Amino acid sequence: RSSDLLGPEHYQVAESLRLLAKVYQCQEQHEQAINLHMRAIAILKSHHGEGYVELGGSYDALVNLWNLTGSPDKAREYRNIKDNWQRVQAQHMSVQNARGRSEEH
């Protein structure tokens, strides 16, 4: 297992968890998929911050999974989290673009 080699909080473990979550989702094992996505998000946020680009896919997956499990309130909660994440992404891109323009001059 990758967690045995790298440690349970390594960012590459999070990527493995996300892939395994997709497998569980395809097998309609939604609760297991939710738990794995949640663990992956926690690891990725701790390593890369709130605006990490790969978080968007996990947030989308959670919205879908919460809807599939009949939890529309949780789906809305994660849709709001995704919306906030998108705002962070937009701010991050604005800062990067401003830095790029200032370095050109």
Side-chain angles (χ1 to χ4, degrees):
R1 292 183 343 183
S2 60
S3 63
D4 292 339
L5 294 172
L6 302 170
E9 300 300 314
H10 195 277
Y11 73 92
Q12 288 178 334
V13 171
E15 295 302 327
S16 296
L17 293 173
R18 289 179 50 198
L19 293 172
L20 186 56
K22 290 178 184 180
V23 171
Y24 279 125
Q25 185 171 353
C26 289
Q27 296 174 343
E28 297 184 8
Q29 296 181 39
H30 300 131
E31 293 296 327
Q32 291 90 333
I34 288 168
N35 291 334
L36 292 174
H37 275 297
M38 299 291 283
R39 281 181 52 206
I41 286 169
I43 294 168
L44 292 172
K45 284 169 64 174
S46 73
H47 281 274
H48 301 289
E50 297 284 332
Y52 183 54
V53 68
E54 295 296 323
L55 291 171
S58 289
Y59 292 141
D60 286 336
L62 284 171
V63 169
N64 185 40
L65 286 162
W66 286 120
N67 279 322
L68 289 171
T69 60
S71 302
D73 291 340
K74 290 298 273 185
R76 269 190 298 281
E77 176 185 344
Y78 277 87
R79 191 175 324 278
N80 289 336
I81 290 170
K82 169 79 184 287
D83 290 345
N84 290 334
W85 171 84
Q86 287 177 313
R87 282 190 282 281
V88 170
Q89 282 287 298
Q91 289 171 343
H92 180 71
M93 293 303 292
S94 294
V95 168
Q96 282 187 332
N97 289 338
R99 283 184 186 155
R101 285 190 301 271
S102 68
E103 290 174 1
E104 291 174 1
H105 294 58

